[in-house]
Amino acid sequence: MILPAPLQDLINAFERLPGIGPKSASRLAFYLLRAQDNLGQDLADALDGFKDKLAFCSECFNITTAGRELCEICDDSRRDASIICVVEDALDVLSLERTAGYQGRYHVLHGALSPIEGIGPDDLKIRPLFDRVARGDVREVILATNPSMEGDATALYLSQRLVGENLRVTRLARGLPVGGDLEYADQNTLLRALSGRQDMN
Amino acid sequence: MILPAPLQDLINAFERLPGIGPKSASRLAFYLLRAQDNLGQDLADALDGFKDKLAFCSECFNITTAGRELCEICDDSRRDASIICVVEDALDVLSLERTAGYQGRYHVLHGALSPIEGIGPDDLKIRPLFDRVARGDVREVILATNPSMEGDATALYLSQRLVGENLRVTRLARGLPVGGDLEYADQNTLLRALSGRQDMN
């Protein structure tokens, strides 16, 4: 059966999303077709030109509303400007904010160093980070890149470049995930958990 | 952090889709933000008013393009009009068509009988099915409702009402995993179920 074009177009578009295969794409399209509420149209409206309505913060390169110079966080004077948490992606800012355990500012690199993929320091927002540090009001940089090969390489690169500046450079602790099971932890994680063991008193 | 409104709206819309939780919704929205191609806009265009561009076939209630009287299948004179395969949903037509093992016509009920949810015969496209059969050119009705309690009840109801008509009433073979969902069945299972269909009377 050749599906009606509007339906096939929709299925094709859904299929291009990450983690959505042909069957899920069909299911989503037919769900929207059956849905009593206006979800399909709401989604269309939310998607329509949404990229143009967004911009990057000129300070930390987090996402902000188009037309605004700074993001929500850089614009908030209650946030501690002397601590910068460096992340690969704006989505990581969201994750860290959900913990409600951090009151400093951020810096979004928009990627990680990857010689294999040809991504060097100039492809990331690394220069603006150094500029922020050079202004002198920063006393700690937390490197919160992903615990992957690229993330570690990026953290190493940054820490080497930041040595000599009058500041503390830290990175997120490695160890067992909370709620996890020791027997399921991989060797590297266990090794990091061992070497990074902390005094209990 | 309060996300920029256009981004939060998009995440909220994605979250309303079945099988997509808060984290997947954020991930999809940020993916679209980063995507180099025009996927976000393509999806917006595909969704915009797509319901209005579709209609139901006046014969079998399958989905067709708005403005057309019949669907692709009812309009195809090569398809055997003497066999009607009764399914709950238009998505089931798609699954059966993918097997390329059926050359008859369909009838889409748009649901299944469910006393618990208050869905009775009059809420489904059952009357039009009887009308098609009454016209006398049908020699077999294949009941291809889901192998669930509601699907079985619907098949039983239909088979009892169709007894006495001069036709064969069959249902899909029990090759389908019980408790499963027809649209998720793989092609081979569906093909077996088609070729092994059994008489109900």
Side-chain angles (χ1 to χ4, degrees):
Chain A
M1 177 172 69
I2 302 155
L3 283 173
L7 195 60
Q8 190 63 59
D9 290 348
L10 183 57
I11 293 174
N12 292 347
F14 271 132
E15 261 192 68
R16 287 162 61 196
L17 290 173
I20 294 182
K23 286 215 168 178
S24 301
S26 305
R27 224 182 145 83
L28 286 174
F30 278 85
Y31 175 86
L32 290 178
L33 191 62
R34 273 191 305 252
Q36 293 302 314
D37 60 2
N38 229 4
L39 176 51
Q41 199 54 50
D42 290 353
L43 191 55
D45 295 343
L47 280 162
D48 189 38
F50 89 104
K51 267 190 186 181
D52 302 330
K53 297 174 198 153
L54 298 169
F56 293 116
C57 172
S58 65
E59 181 79 359
C60 75
F61 300 95
N62 187 14
I63 287 155
T64 187
T65 316
R68 286 186 63 169
E69 176 78 5
L70 297 176
C71 71
E72 195 86 23
I73 294 167
C74 287
D75 214 15
D76 185 348
S77 59
R78 289 165 302 177
R79 304 289 300 232
D80 188 348
S82 69
I83 307 181
I84 295 178
C85 181
V86 179
V87 294
E88 292 181 22
D89 204 278
L91 197 47
D92 302 329
V93 174
L94 196 60
S95 295
L96 285 161
E97 285 297 290
R98 281 196 186 119
T99 67
Y102 179 66
Q103 285 305 313
R105 303 278 172 95
Y106 291 93
H107 191 89
V108 183
L109 295 175
H110 288 272
L113 295 176
S114 173
I116 293 169
E117 292 180 47
I119 300 171
D122 293 338
D123 300 311
L124 306 177
K125 304 296 181 191
I126 287 181
R127 172 60 43 198
L129 172 64
F130 293 159
D131 292 344
R132 287 177 78 180
V133 170
R135 264 180 267 150
D137 43 2
V138 179
R139 62 185 167 83
E140 181 173 356
V141 170
I142 304 172
L143 300 173
T145 49
N146 282 330
S148 63
M149 208 149 76
E150 290 81 8
D152 282 344
T154 309
L156 192 67
Y157 175 89
L158 291 176
S159 69
Q160 285 168 345
R161 292 300 180 288
L162 291 168
V163 146
E165 305 280 347
N166 187 23
L167 49 77
R168 198 177 158 205
V169 179
T170 57
R171 68 168 172 179
L172 294 186
R174 302 299 162 84
L176 297 171
V178 175
D181 209 334
L182 201 136
E183 69 193 71
Y184 291 125
D186 62 279
Q187 294 180 8
N188 284 330
T189 304
L190 262 180
L191 224 89
R192 291 294 184 93
L194 263 174
S195 65
R197 64 188 181 274
Q198 289 146 357
D199 288 315
M200 287 196 71
N201 37 23
Chain B
M1 176 173 69
I2 301 156
L3 283 174
L7 195 60
Q8 191 62 60
D9 291 347
L10 183 58
I11 293 174
N12 293 347
F14 271 131
E15 260 192 69
R16 287 162 60 196
L17 290 173
I20 294 182
K23 285 218 167 176
S24 300
S26 304
R27 236 186 140 76
L28 286 174
F30 278 85
Y31 175 86
L32 289 178
L33 191 62
R34 274 192 307 254
Q36 294 302 313
D37 60 3
N38 230 4
L39 176 51
Q41 198 54 49
D42 290 353
L43 191 55
D45 295 343
L47 281 163
D48 189 38
F50 89 104
K51 268 191 187 179
D52 302 329
K53 296 174 197 153
L54 298 170
F56 293 115
C57 173
S58 64
E59 181 78 0
C60 75
F61 300 95
N62 187 14
I63 287 155
T64 187
T65 316
R68 284 189 64 170
E69 177 77 7
L70 297 175
C71 72
E72 195 85 25
I73 294 168
C74 287
D75 214 14
D76 186 347
S77 58
R78 289 165 303 178
R79 304 290 299 234
D80 188 349
S82 68
I83 308 181
I84 294 177
C85 181
V86 180
V87 294
E88 292 180 23
D89 203 277
L91 197 47
D92 301 330
V93 174
L94 195 60
S95 295
L96 284 160
E97 284 299 287
R98 282 198 186 119
T99 68
Y102 179 65
Q103 286 305 313
R105 304 277 172 95
Y106 291 93
H107 191 89
V108 183
L109 296 175
H110 287 271
L113 295 176
S114 174
I116 293 168
E117 291 179 48
I119 299 171
D122 292 338
D123 300 312
L124 307 177
K125 304 294 180 190
I126 286 182
R127 173 60 45 200
L129 172 65
F130 293 158
D131 292 345
R132 286 177 77 181
V133 170
R135 264 179 266 148
D137 44 2
V138 179
R139 62 184 167 84
E140 181 174 355
V141 170
I142 305 172
L143 300 173
T145 50
N146 281 329
S148 64
M149 209 148 74
E150 290 82 8
D152 282 344
T154 309
L156 192 67
Y157 175 87
L158 292 177
S159 71
Q160 284 169 346
R161 291 300 178 291
L162 290 169
V163 147
E165 305 280 346
N166 185 24
L167 50 76
R168 198 178 157 206
V169 179
T170 57
R171 68 169 170 180
L172 293 186
R174 284 279 129 164
L176 294 171
V178 175
D181 210 334
L182 200 141
E183 67 198 61
Y184 275 136
D186 68 277
Q187 296 184 8
N188 284 328
T189 307
L190 264 178
L191 238 125
R192 289 291 181 90
L194 261 173
S195 64
R197 62 186 185 272
Q198 292 145 357
D199 285 300
M200 283 195 79
N201 36 20

